[in-house]
Amino acid sequence: MAFSLSNTSLTPTKPFLQPQHQFYSFPSQIFLPDVSPKKSGHLSSRLLLSSARAVSKTNEPLHELGNEESEAQNKQPNETELAERWREMLGEDDWAGLLDPIDPLLRNELIRYGEMAQACYDAFDFDPYSKYCGSCRFTRRHFFDGLGLPEAGYDITRYLYATSNINLPNFFKNSRWPKVWSKNANWIGYIAVSNDKKSRELGRRDVCISWRGTVTRLEWIADLMDFLRPISSEKIPCPDPRVRVESGFLDLYTDRDETCKYCKSSAREQVLTEVDRLINEVYLNEEVSITVSGHSLGGALALLSAYDIVETGINVRVDTRAVPVCVFTFAGPRVGNARFRSRVELLGLKVLRVVNVHDIVPKSPGFFFNEKVHPMVMKMADNLPWSYSHVGVEVALDHKNSPFLREDGDLVCAHNLEAHLHLLDGYHGRGERFVIANGRDYALVNKGCDFLKDEYEIPPNWRQDHNKGMAKNKEGRWVQEDRPVHDDTQI
């Protein structure tokens, strides 16, 4: 069953200066009051609560909540706690007792992995006037430094690419110029490994796979073929042919282009080959975890790739030890049918979904037949091509609980990843008052949208590329700066 979203439903309530996530990270060119990287990679600043006029859900002025916020910050975990509890954070017990109220350590980890996914947006060049449109703006070696996150504690081992020759046009970006870095590829994420220092902090060597979502508004939902097909049809070795996933997601993950040096292998092959190399060769004698994160359509890719890792047994080492695999998704859509969910649960894959209750994307596809209808109805609809079911445990946030955000924010704002991370920072459990725990800078919310209340005086879509990448050459002419050639064409 095809569906579409009308132009009216996707029209912002205010004019957009830039598309969603249109921002670039050139720290030396960005000027915000008192912004500095913290050890964890979060950006923070004084919250200026004394001058805030926003009101919490209890109708108390924010400046009267200052003591409560300090209390929340004082409850932060110590430096050794994560090393002792990392299996618990990755869902060993399905996060039982950790969500309501939310465990402070789990909140920190969700924000940290959310920022790893946010880095995919910050580093992506989607300017159609750039000859590098569709690529990552940094080489692997300079990725986190280029984003102003030198203390992220991870090293990129591989970039991930997908061919643009599939039916998801709003996911891919192409340059208007004839001479470009690639005509048929887009950068869609990366694989990174925690360095020695970070690994000691984490209690294990962490292999993190982060996927990029869409950088347009929400039109990509209408691009979904909105029908399920057997996952085994794409040579993912599922023994149950009734396990189905959304066709567009499967194409994005499995398609290749033999004529393109970046996409001679599919995103699937890129992931499985690199993960196998890391856990069975490079770090064979270490304690390792695999953590997959993604926002929006990137959340679908995160779930699909993590499922593939455990289904194929890539995470099982030669000595039969299984490396734990966990998925953290943000604002992710439904991916497969009820049998897909059952298969994920049977394989022991741990999935935690962070959603905003006002966001339309987690409610699609499967508007009518999904996990919320009566089980008998779902059983009868099992063979329908548009019967979907969410997977895993859900953390439901509500942007109307934040005194920093406008209640009339449009659909794009409700879907924004930075807004989700802001909401996580103030979330303490269902029915609990919104109180900032980590002091995460609220200005980041407006980095790629217009969601903050005007009284905070943070301009919308403030993150920009200095001079749009133009620089003077030796002859004094303004030209686009050249970038190093991508070094990820192996496999």
Side-chain angles (χ1 to χ4, degrees), residues 423-483:
L423 293 175
L424 272 173
D425 198 13
Y427 179 75
H428 294 267
R430 288 178 297 180
E432 297 292 328
R433 185 161 53 186
F434 186 97
V435 180
I436 293 294
N438 294 322
R440 197 168 190 278
D441 192 351
Y442 58 80
L444 292 170
V445 172
N446 266 18
K447 187 165 61 175
C449 69
D450 183 9
F451 206 1
L452 289 171
K453 293 179 178 178
D454 290 343
E455 61 204 71
Y456 295 105
E457 300 179 353
I458 305 297
N461 303 289
W462 56 258
R463 200 164 197 169
Q464 301 291 319
D465 182 2
H466 182 57
N467 289 333
K468 293 190 175 181
M470 296 288 285
K472 281 188 177 182
N473 64 13
K474 294 179 180 179
E475 288 75 35
R477 295 184 179 276
W478 286 92
V479 297
Q480 286 193 40
E481 290 184 289
D482 289 330
R483 294 181 192 163

Side-chain angles (χ1 to χ4, degrees), residues 400-417:
K400 293 185 178 180
N401 289 338
S402 170
F404 296 90
L405 305 180
R406 302 196 323 265
E407 290 194 10
D408 63 347
D410 56 58
L411 294 177
V412 175
C413 290
H415 186 59
N416 182 271
L417 177 52

